[in-house]
Amino acid sequence: MKDEMTSEQTTDFNPRTRSPFSAIRAIDYTVIFARDMAAMRRFYEDVLALSLARELSPNWIEYGIGSNTLALARPSRIAADAPTPAGSASLQLAFKVSAAEVDACAEELVRQGVALLSPPTNQPFGHRTLFFRDPDGNLLEVYAEL
């Protein structure tokens, strides 16, 4: 005899309705595993002018960005992962600003000697974007909705 499931029983198997992870509402913090902590710290504090929120150790530094935290860390606290090979981006971060500020950010990056991968550009999907890299080669974007 073949077992048949009722529609009520099949909803018990829907991972989205049953998972405790459905309670996630935001990304609270992002960690960048830095190859060169000194260069990364100078870049994020001096070039991007992020405000230091706290320094838990020389291996863990946090910046406040709105309601989120961006941390620079050396891999080893939890997992001893090897650093990402030089020339490889580990991640892309997108920082949201107003449309006029995209151009001002580009000018400041050039003034600070940071190479632009793409100058301020209006994209067909409704964003004005600017792309560049941090000292570890991660891809960074400043954008505005148009």
Side-chain angles (χ1 to χ4, degrees), residues 75-133:
S76 72
R77 188 173 185 289
I78 302 299
D81 293 2
T84 304
S88 300
S90 296
L91 57 86
Q92 176 178 337
L93 295 176
F95 300 102
K96 187 176 181 181
V97 298
S98 73
E101 291 166 325
V102 173
D103 294 282
C105 289
E107 290 170 12
E108 179 62 13
L109 289 168
V110 170
R111 190 183 75 71
Q112 295 267 1
V114 176
L116 303 182
L117 296 176
S118 171
T121 305
N122 290 342
Q123 302 293 343
F125 48 85
H127 285 181
R128 183 160 181 79
T129 61
L130 157 67
F131 290 93
F132 55 102
R133 293 189 185 273

Side-chain angles (χ1 to χ4, degrees), residues 39-89:
M40 292 285 280
R41 183 170 184 172
R42 278 190 307 275
F43 181 81
Y44 283 89
E45 290 178 22
D46 298 343
V47 176
L48 297 189
L50 298 184
S51 298
L52 181 66
R54 63 184 181 163
E55 182 175 347
L56 298 179
S57 77
N59 296 323
W60 186 277
I61 300 164
E62 296 180 355
Y63 303 96
I65 303 175
S67 62
N68 297 302
T69 298
L70 177 64
L72 299 179
R74 292 189 200 276
S76 72
R77 188 173 185 289
I78 302 299
D81 293 2
T84 304
S88 300

